[in-house]
Amino acid sequence: MPIYEYVCEACRHEFDLLRPMTQADEPAPCDSCGSRESKRKLSLCNAQSGGKSIAGTSAPSCSGCAGGSCASCGH
Ligand SMILES: [Zn+2]
């Protein structure tokens, strides 16, 4: 399971969460204030792709943006 980084919109707390790729874009509960107004950070995109083959994708991609909507990864 990949690790995703989130930032809480309510208190700006940043936290990591280990979760399935299918849940990557779902709001994660802030472990500081409990708010679910969090957004996934995209900064881990490139780091996540190193070395591992990702099921279902043939193009160079990252596990953090299976949907292809990640502008910061360039795909
Ligand atoms: Zn918070």
Side-chain angles (χ1 to χ4, degrees), residues 4 6 9 19 28 34 38 42 44 49 55 59-61 68-69 71 75:
Y4 297 103
Y6 297 85
E9 301 261 283
R19 63 191 339 203
S38 61
L42 300 173
L44 276 186
S49 63
S61 184
S69 59
H75 72 261

Side-chain angles (χ1 to χ4, degrees), residues 2 7 9 12 17-18 22 35 43 47 53-54 63-64 69-70 72 74:
V7 58
E9 301 261 283
R12 312 310 296 173
L17 208 62
L18 203 66
T22 53
S35 168
S43 56
S53 64
I54 297 160
S63 60
S69 59
C70 176
S72 67

Side-chain angles (χ1 to χ4, degrees), residues 7-13 15 29-37:
V7 58
C8 174
E9 301 261 283
C11 71
R12 312 310 296 173
H13 176 66
F15 55 101
C30 173
D31 62 9
S32 177
C33 72
S35 168
R36 295 183 77 83
E37 299 294 316

